[in-house]
Amino acid sequence: MSDFNPEGGVDCSGGDGGLHCEAGAEAVRGRGDTLLEEWPKRESITSTSSFDAGGDDDDDDDQNSSPLGMWRLETDEDVQNAFLQAEQFFQRHQEENESTSMKRPTLVIHVTKDPDAPPPPPPPPYLVGMPDPLTSPTMTMLSFYAFPPNGGISDPESTADQLKRLWRPFRALGRVYVANEGVNAQMSVPTNVLSNFLQCCTVSPEEGGELSHVLGAYMENGINIDPIPVDMEEFQAKPAFKNLHIRVRSQIVADGFATPLDWQSAGYDMPPLEWHQKLKEAREAHEKGEEDKPLPIVLDCRNDYETQVGRFELAEPLDTENFRDSWDVLKDRLKDVPKDAPVMTYCTGGIRCVKVNAFLTQEMGMTNVSRLAGGIISYDRTLNEQAPAEESMFKGVNYVFDSRMGRRITDDQLGTCFTCGSKTHLVSNCKNENCHRRMVQCENCADVLLGTCSEGCKGRVVNAGMVPNRKRETTNNTGDETRQESDEVYANVDEYSSGYSSSSPALFRQIELNTAALLPSGAHMVSGQMQGALLKMLASQTSGRILEIGSFTGYATACFLEGAAIAGELINEKDAGGREGGPFVLSLERDRRALGIASAHIKAMSELGLGKEAAKEASKIADGPIVDFEGDSVSFTYKGIAGCEFLRVNDALATVEEMASSQSHFAPFDIAFVDADKTRLMDYVDALVSNDRLLKKGGLIIVDNVLWKGLVLDANNSVHNSSDETTPTGSSEEKEMLKKNRRARKLAMNMHQFNSEVVNDERVEVVMMPIRDGLSLIRKK
């Protein structure tokens, strides 16, 4: 990281990758935080920022450059140029084999303080005078849930972001789910800031609160707090949670209902002490054999592994493996029970009983239904605080969904050891990570089997511990790069997957750079490393005949051509393929500019391969003027095996339909890749599956962008913001953004309609893959 520069700037000359700003510098306060949050989205950057090319003299004449090589970031184009400069600088370093610590193109942002920026708002009252949570000697476990009425939470994504922002000062840990129906949270909070955290969740907007619309009064029974805090040393040795994960889900508790019930109508919420008294009276009546006194039906709504180690006296477990299995069990258990019979339900924290009792009252017509307010957690705390002399009606261990696995309420051992059959109260997961079976197991068997469920899993754990650390070196298929496995940290599974996949050849990276330079507005449309590698592999498993509908700048074309050549080598093709047969890629495109770029890339590939020489030749494309494609077609041959032809068309669908309906000059293809007009995708599928002239029987149709930036979820759920449908007001930029959002939603609806139609088409079989923007693999039956 470079030192803070009062001039402001972005430096791409070194570092370990990513975007950096001097921590704690005056520049990062106020607007600086906003800048760093906005930057990954590549949105407009304020003029208080600039980009430093690291002293590279090649671009000193750039109009946007200062003598120090600094570029002010004022527009989206400036940001794109900054990224391009970093890419090119990094590429030159690699080509010249210079000594560098750079693992990837790097940008370092230096932000100047805006003297006109308004002062930050005052902190909310619940943060004023709050102690440092890092000094807390204990951690408090808590849980809560909320089902806000009137449609629940309209925007779960923004609510999740809000919770992250508001809870960050408390250093809270836990697992929180947010959905349209509400919030479900299990958390650990430093005890010395617990009261501040509770205020944050409950106070009204007039008192400085921001969560009353989703939590506050809608948290049933408030917040469930474990009665005994956990010592900090004990917590750190075995933390219940390691991070704060706030995730958006379709439901906060998966119930399997196609249509949600009214969670506000879920029977009587019985306070813990009243529940305790009811059970005591029922036990006495049961022991005395008072048959004339109707006993309540007490249902344990938890899963089987939970009820095995702890339950209320007189309770009947549903014995389900998953909560969504409860409904059939309830119907069978209560089918002959009078509708006014007293039914009492309970679960760990109360949330599952809300759904169970809503089902009992609304779907089964039961009229005398109650549930334990706050669940077992609330009962345990209330009895300890308000009636410590009373004998607990709950026996054994209350299973909890964190690393503690359970809180022991009484010494009763109700569970049966999975291994030896002895009585125990312990619940654990098999230590073999590939098994991870949840089980009840006694302490002796856990010691003998090293915490695993069987001798086989024990052997895997022992063998895994004996395997020495290995370093591996990988070389890509062009010999361009040798990579040794490192201790690199990945931010998400996409980065991890990319890091542990074979490296792309140099030419593919240059195609991405050229696209960003020549067609920046469409740079995101390039297939990229992971998708491109998949396309190549799929092509290599066929006879190598590929129809590509939509060439763009030739990235996918090059991947298919490489796969076709591999296929040709495997089947010992002696001659180059073409229209009549053999490994061959036919690529259809309407845009002459894109065709000019794509054909230049494939020309470099056909002449020089995929390595550095081809990449160096392809880099010249970005240096000269863009030459639009002339004529109707151009052909190439790669490795003397695979042919490639670009065909310029006005209407690709009309061309495909003509090829499918007549005796065309093309032998049938193995794969058709459709990256064209998103409003006519089903028409392409119809043309390709109507007969076997164009696509072989059993052939594969690959459709790109089927997730459409994730907006297909909104389309599926028919989520619409009515305010977006009104006439836009405000600046021209705001109007244009609204217009783009409408178009994106419309295209997402088109894509969802296609996905719905094709998956129900009996002529094909569909697998949708969440790679990049989504790929659907459609096999023609």
Side-chain angles (χ1 to χ4, degrees), residues 60-328:
D60 283 347
D61 295 332
D62 192 293
Q63 294 180 354
N64 199 27
S65 173
S66 75
L68 296 177
M70 306 285 287
W71 279 265
R72 296 184 69 81
L73 303 181
E74 298 175 336
T75 67
D76 286 340
E77 185 178 357
D78 293 340
V79 176
Q80 291 172 351
N81 288 335
F83 275 94
L84 180 59
Q85 292 285 349
E87 295 275 12
Q88 291 176 344
F89 185 89
F90 177 71
Q91 191 74 19
R92 285 196 294 273
H93 262 271
Q94 286 196 317
E95 291 176 355
E96 297 168 7
N97 294 317
E98 294 185 14
S99 175
T100 177
S101 61
M102 292 175 65
K103 297 179 181 178
R104 62 181 66 82
T106 304
L107 301 175
V108 180
I109 300 179
H110 300 288
V111 188
T112 57
K113 182 178 181 180
D114 185 354
D116 298 324
Y126 55 79
L127 292 182
V128 176
M130 185 181 77
D132 183 355
L134 295 178
T135 63
S136 179
T138 58
M139 292 288 282
T140 295
M141 311 300 298
L142 57 87
S143 63
F144 59 86
Y145 62 91
F147 288 106
N150 304 321
I153 298 174
S154 60
D155 189 349
E157 290 283 355
S158 63
T159 298
D161 291 339
Q162 184 183 35
L163 294 178
K164 292 175 186 177
R165 173 174 59 83
L166 295 179
W167 289 346
R168 190 175 295 122
F170 304 109
R171 300 292 181 129
L173 308 173
R175 180 176 55 247
V176 183
Y177 298 139
V178 183
N180 289 118
E181 65 182 10
V183 178
N184 183 17
Q186 294 86 40
M187 303 179 69
S188 303
V189 177
T191 309
N192 68 339
V193 298
L194 180 60
S195 61
N196 307 82
F197 178 81
L198 299 182
Q199 290 179 52
C200 173
C201 296
T202 57
V203 296
S204 66
E206 293 76 18
E207 300 173 288
E210 298 183 46
L211 296 176
S212 59
H213 65 296
V214 292
L215 300 180
Y218 306 130
M219 291 191 296
E220 291 211 10
N221 309 296
I223 296 181
N224 263 330
I225 302 174
D226 273 16
I228 303 175
V230 181
D231 181 80
M232 188 60 74
E233 290 187 4
E234 178 185 346
F235 182 88
Q236 291 174 344
K238 190 177 181 181
F241 304 102
K242 296 181 180 180
N243 298 288
L244 176 60
H245 294 291
I246 302 179
R247 298 187 173 98
V248 175
R249 294 287 179 88
S250 58
Q251 293 180 307
I252 55 176
V253 176
D255 53 36
F257 293 142
T259 303
L261 302 178
D262 179 8
W263 310 129
Q264 309 303 316
S265 178
Y268 172 51
D269 205 23
M270 185 179 291
L273 291 182
E274 182 181 347
W275 174 278
H276 178 76
Q277 188 61 33
K278 290 277 188 183
L279 287 188
K280 282 182 63 177
E281 293 172 358
R283 182 178 64 180
E284 292 173 2
H286 177 71
E287 290 174 348
K288 293 178 181 179
E290 299 177 356
E291 298 181 359
D292 59 329
K293 189 172 184 178
L295 297 178
I297 300 172
V298 183
L299 299 178
D300 188 329
C301 301
R302 302 173 300 158
N303 295 323
D304 52 4
Y305 55 85
E306 300 172 75
T307 60
Q308 286 178 37
V309 293
R311 53 190 174 271
F312 280 103
E313 292 193 52
L314 304 181
E316 299 179 35
L318 298 186
D319 283 332
T320 56
E321 292 186 9
N322 297 289
F323 179 61
R324 57 182 174 271
D325 300 330
S326 302
W327 320 121
D328 289 339

